[in-house]
Amino acid sequence: MILFPEGRPTKRQSFEEYRASGGYESAPEKFSPQTILEEVTESGLRGRGGAGFPVGKKWEIARTTPTTPRYVVCNAGEDEPGSFKDRVLLEHHPHLVLEGTILAARAIEADSAYFYINETYADCISRMTEAIAEATAAGYLRSLKVSIHRAPTVYVAGEDSAALEVLEGKAAKPRQKPPYPATAGLFGKPTAVNNVETLANIPLILRNGASWFRRYGTAESPGTMIFCLGDEMNSPGAYEFPFGTPLRQLYDAGGGLKNGKTLKAILPGGPSCAFLTSDQLDTPLDPESCKRAGTTLGCGVMRFYSEDTCMVVETLRIAQFFARESCGQCPACRMETSMLATMLERINEGKGNPALFDQFQKILDFNRGKGFCALINMPGLPITSALRLFRDEFEEHARTGTCRYALPARADV
Amino acid sequence: MASKYVLVCQNVDCMQRGSGELFQKLKDKLAGSEDIEVKSYICFGGCQSGPNIVLYPQKVWYCGVKQSDVEDIAAHVEGGPEVERLTQGIDPTLKDLIYQVLDAGLF
């Protein structure tokens, strides 16, 4: 596999081991900014943070914006519930991420790079601190200034423009776009904000070539993705698979659900995606196939729900999550997220008038796109898909306030 | 059991503009009317025009309400005239959406 030789994180790589594997052989004489841009564009690499924007394009925009200085931000804010791929990469391959960041900075001719790391990731912060010291001593950073900043653990803090606000010393609130960070980002300067996994791919693409990278994945989505499986599985953890791998293969790799339970539903891309049902286990894991199946892959957080899960409670938890995590600066988002959660609470408690069912889509349609960031659009897919796929459960709850499933609610969404 | 509701938004914007005090004043003012209940509401989405108060089932939306408007609003709820000066400035589509939500029992 591309990032993890064995498809799973196994060994915490040292500086010497990284160099022995071909690391840091990407001097400017070998890879000029233009070469890097061309190779990354040719590889078809898209951002792994959830939005899937073409990396080469983002860098090209930053590089051709005639304002200096420019900046690179390695985004390890990682507040998506259930996601831990950034943590795993930083702990196991800090030099890979660091070299990717150095190359990104060279590509857009930036003179500073920021590591924006979830404040609870103490081990990642110490691994990256050590890696920066080692690479600096060996002269690999050249004139690039690199620093580490702690990201607050609120959901929106991982959004790219909110990350820039935090780096500027302000509260984690998304900015209105445009302008996008690539043209006016940190301190108003062109900034490439890239996810950890995205940057980890860069040294390997340059080392092995775009055509090698394209041997993995699909034509539209080349490469691999790290998927995070939660503790409902027999073997939870991070799994790297090429795009296009059937969902079933990932499910099997995770050893299936604990206690031999039967699969009922899947949330393939974190709390903002649509539910799939167990008969969709053959859906290929790539953005295009997931879109055709009516859902999204997000940043690769997989949730599998067993036969005895109450989908009303699970959907309510997702709605409550967004209501809680809405930063509050956009009135429409605050209204939408709190109203959706309240409506689901009513249905869950058996206080829901049947007419409430028709209001979800109207509230979503009214508020679509009215916020500064994507959060306002996030509760829509999980809620509407759950209402469509598990309607009988919602109706039973609305009628009786209870449910035929005994499983207690999960500790997180 | 009340049959008329005075729904007072208690979300951030409206609260910053004094809806907490409005809520209390209306509650005190209408305490004697068994038929009327003053209730807090999560949000009507008309944050720029707050504080917002909606009378239901009359479906009258008062926005930009000030403390000095409490007497007139209470009088309207108890059968007096509508306070027309407070009824302008809310998007009709939003009104329609909120009234549908209220009709569906969400209050």
Side-chain angles (χ1 to χ4, degrees):
Chain A
M1 228 45 78
I2 294 178
L3 300 170
F4 301 130
E6 296 163 45
R8 297 207 59 187
T10 46
K11 192 171 175 5
R12 290 160 72 99
Q13 201 175 38
S14 69
F15 180 47
E16 289 70 30
E17 285 163 347
Y18 183 64
R19 277 201 298 196
S21 72
Y24 291 119
E25 287 176 12
S26 55
E29 304 78 53
K30 198 169 166 189
F31 294 110
S32 68
Q34 192 56 35
T35 318
I36 298 171
L37 260 179
E38 282 169 7
E39 203 68 25
V40 170
T41 303
E42 174 59 28
S43 76
L45 177 69
R46 299 200 303 194
R48 301 291 195 249
F53 195 80
V55 180
K57 198 169 168 189
K58 186 186 273 186
W59 291 2
E60 183 71 45
I61 294 167
R63 186 173 174 230
T64 53
T65 300
T67 316
T68 53
R70 299 190 190 93
Y71 301 105
V72 168
V73 175
C74 171
N75 188 356
E78 192 158 69
D79 280 299
E80 185 87 358
S83 181
F84 45 85
K85 62 176 184 150
D86 294 351
R87 175 171 62 73
V88 162
L89 273 171
L90 287 170
E91 284 172 0
H92 290 78
H93 298 289
H95 282 285
L96 182 66
V97 179
L98 177 56
E99 190 181 10
T101 307
I102 294 170
L103 290 163
R106 193 185 304 157
I108 68 159
E109 297 175 62
D111 60 8
S112 304
Y114 295 83
F115 285 91
Y116 178 73
I117 303 177
N118 186 309
E119 63 186 351
T120 65
Y121 287 3
D123 201 22
C124 294
I125 292 169
S126 79
R127 287 281 281 162
M128 189 46 81
T129 305
E130 189 188 7
I132 291 168
E134 288 164 340
T136 304
Y140 294 134
L141 261 59
R142 296 171 191 265
S143 61
L144 183 69
K145 294 189 282 289
V146 176
S147 54
I148 295 176
H149 293 256
R150 286 166 168 77
T153 51
V154 289
Y155 185 59
V156 293
E159 196 268 353
D160 56 2
S161 66
L164 299 177
E165 289 286 292
V166 173
L167 290 173
E168 290 182 9
K170 293 179 269 183
K173 300 218 186 255
R175 296 175 180 172
Q176 188 168 23
K177 298 174 196 171
Y180 291 93
T183 54
L186 191 59
F187 306 112
K189 308 294 184 185
T191 307
V193 185
N194 290 113
N195 171 256
V196 172
E197 186 183 354
T198 311
L199 291 169
N201 276 286
I202 302 297
L204 300 161
I205 288 171
L206 294 174
R207 206 177 296 164
N208 302 297
S211 54
W212 165 84
F213 183 76
R214 280 185 170 277
R215 291 213 297 263
Y216 297 90
T218 66
E220 293 134 308
S221 293
T224 62
M225 188 153 183
I226 300 175
F227 299 98
C228 295
L229 300 190
D231 60 9
E232 73 273 23
M233 304 297 283
N234 282 310
S235 304
Y239 292 82
E240 184 186 8
F241 277 107
F243 279 123
T245 302
L247 181 44
R248 186 183 300 278
Q249 206 171 318
L250 177 63
Y251 180 74
D252 290 344
L257 286 162
K258 277 182 180 158
N259 304 317
K261 288 191 172 161
T262 305
L263 182 66
K264 175 180 187 175
I266 307 142
L267 203 56
S272 60
C273 76
F275 286 98
L276 298 176
T277 46
S278 55
D279 59 351
Q280 291 173 293
L281 254 189
D282 291 313
T283 305
L285 289 169
D286 60 77
E288 293 73 27
S289 302
C290 283
K291 194 177 173 190
R292 280 192 290 275
T295 189
T296 55
L297 209 45
C299 66
V301 182
M302 290 282 154
R303 284 288 188 198
F304 294 98
Y305 298 89
S306 64
E307 55 196 328
D308 52 2
T309 308
C310 170
M311 299 313 290
V312 179
V313 168
E314 294 301 329
T315 310
L316 169 61
R317 297 181 76 82
I318 290 172
Q320 287 172 328
F321 170 77
F322 288 120
R324 194 171 62 239
E325 297 293 339
S326 168
C327 78
Q329 68 176 338
C330 304
C333 178
R334 203 165 55 217
M335 178 268 223
E336 178 199 81
T337 53
S338 58
M339 199 166 265
L340 293 172
T342 308
M343 287 159 70
L344 285 166
E345 278 161 19
R346 291 291 174 89
I347 289 172
N348 183 49
E349 293 162 4
K351 297 175 187 162
N353 178 327
L356 264 189
F357 285 90
D358 300 326
Q359 305 308 316
F360 288 97
Q361 194 61 55
K362 288 177 191 164
I363 289 170
L364 291 164
D365 290 345
F366 181 79
N367 290 301
R368 183 162 294 124
K370 285 189 181 167
F372 281 4
C373 75
L375 194 139
I376 195 164
N377 301 328
M378 291 182 177
L381 280 177
I383 293 175
T384 53
S385 63
L387 284 167
R388 189 179 69 251
L389 297 168
F390 311 106
R391 181 74 175 211
D392 55 335
E393 290 186 38
F394 283 87
E395 285 177 353
E396 187 182 348
H397 256 274
R399 251 189 344 266
T400 65
T402 183
C403 147
R404 69 196 100 151
Y405 302 106
L407 196 72
R410 308 161 68 99
D412 53 8
V413 290
Chain B
M1 185 76 180
S3 69
K4 289 180 188 167
Y5 296 91
V6 180
L7 306 171
V8 185
C9 175
Q10 300 288 279
N11 211 325
V12 190
D13 276 343
C14 288
M15 285 295 270
Q16 280 179 346
R17 299 177 202 207
S19 74
E21 208 180 336
L22 285 173
F23 176 72
Q24 203 47 55
K25 279 188 175 167
L26 281 161
K27 227 174 159 54
D28 294 345
K29 191 85 195 153
L30 297 164
S33 314
E34 279 186 12
D35 194 33
I36 299 164
E37 186 180 350
V38 180
K39 286 186 83 168
S40 66
Y41 202 79
I42 34 175
C43 184
F44 295 116
C47 311
Q48 292 96 330
S49 314
N52 290 296
I53 293 175
V54 173
L55 308 189
Y56 188 82
Q58 302 95 315
K59 296 186 181 170
V60 174
W61 187 317
Y62 290 139
C63 64
V65 178
K66 293 186 268 307
Q67 308 299 327
S68 55
D69 297 320
V70 166
E71 294 279 338
D72 290 346
I73 293 174
H76 174 213
V77 182
E78 289 181 313
E82 190 173 302
V83 193
E84 276 183 37
R85 65 174 185 278
L86 303 174
T87 56
Q88 305 303 311
I90 297 293
D91 173 14
T93 325
L94 176 65
K95 273 189 184 176
D96 188 45
L97 176 77
I98 294 297
Y99 294 156
Q100 286 184 44
V101 169
L102 296 175
D103 282 342
L106 192 72
F107 62 90

